[in-house]
Amino acid sequence: MKPTYTPENLPLDFWRSLRYYNFYRLLLATLFVLLGGVFGNKLSLNSDQLPLFFSAAIIYFASVVLSFVFLRLDRHRFTLQLSWQVGGDIIAVSFLAYLNGGIQSNIGLLLLVSLAAAGLVSRGRMTLFFAALASLAALLVHTFGVLYGSADANNFVQVGVLCMTYFAVAWMAQSLAKYAVDSQQLAARRGLDLVSLSEASRLVMRDMQDGVLVIDARGLIVQ
């Protein structure tokens, strides 16, 4: 029977994986800050968009740092913390991609790592929901760029391919997570079976009137 996990009995592996995911987010946020503050003149940004890009990167960096604080203080709302973090990644990356040229900037591809990591961290739960949110954000950003910016309407095909990629990566992450969970549960069941078998053998040998003594080549008792 599969164990039912609640926020009170989640294994430490869930929280450890979430902390590793946050380290990736911190690295990503630091990269955006460096791009906006140091290499901003090399990005495909207009002069009036560079301060906005840098400000958005700083806000994203601060939210990632804040997530470490919540991760340390609150160990009872795993799903809420994961949803907040993945949702923050989707909003931040989509907005920064819009400022840097939309679909042409390829910044949206960074969400593939976030979706894969979120699927593995959550053991497959809500993975497709996160992919749907990322796809919706990509479509909204490009639509806004077409209506109010200089985005090309013909690039909706690329946006559609990106959205399908989001779902493909999310599905693979969900499948791998399910396989890992099944393997972990099988190993736990095998461990319990071995303990039961060992205990049964001990009880049988304790009550035997006769038995067999096994020694090795040096005369030491093996069993």
Side-chain angles (χ1 to χ4, degrees), residues 164-176:
M164 288 189 293
T165 306
Y166 286 157
F167 278 98
V169 170
W171 178 80
M172 286 190 294
Q174 185 181 39
S175 300
L176 289 174

Side-chain angles (χ1 to χ4, degrees), residues 99-155:
L99 293 177
N100 198 35
I103 189 65
Q104 299 296 331
S105 66
N106 292 323
I107 291 180
L109 293 175
L110 294 172
L111 284 179
L112 294 175
V113 180
S114 297
L115 291 174
L120 296 176
V121 168
S122 65
R123 305 301 193 268
R125 296 184 297 177
M126 299 180 65
T127 310
L128 296 179
F129 173 72
F130 294 143
L133 288 181
S135 300
L136 181 61
L139 290 171
L140 289 177
V141 164
H142 189 67
T143 301
F144 188 85
V146 171
L147 295 177
Y148 302 101
S150 58
D152 189 356
N154 294 326
N155 288 334

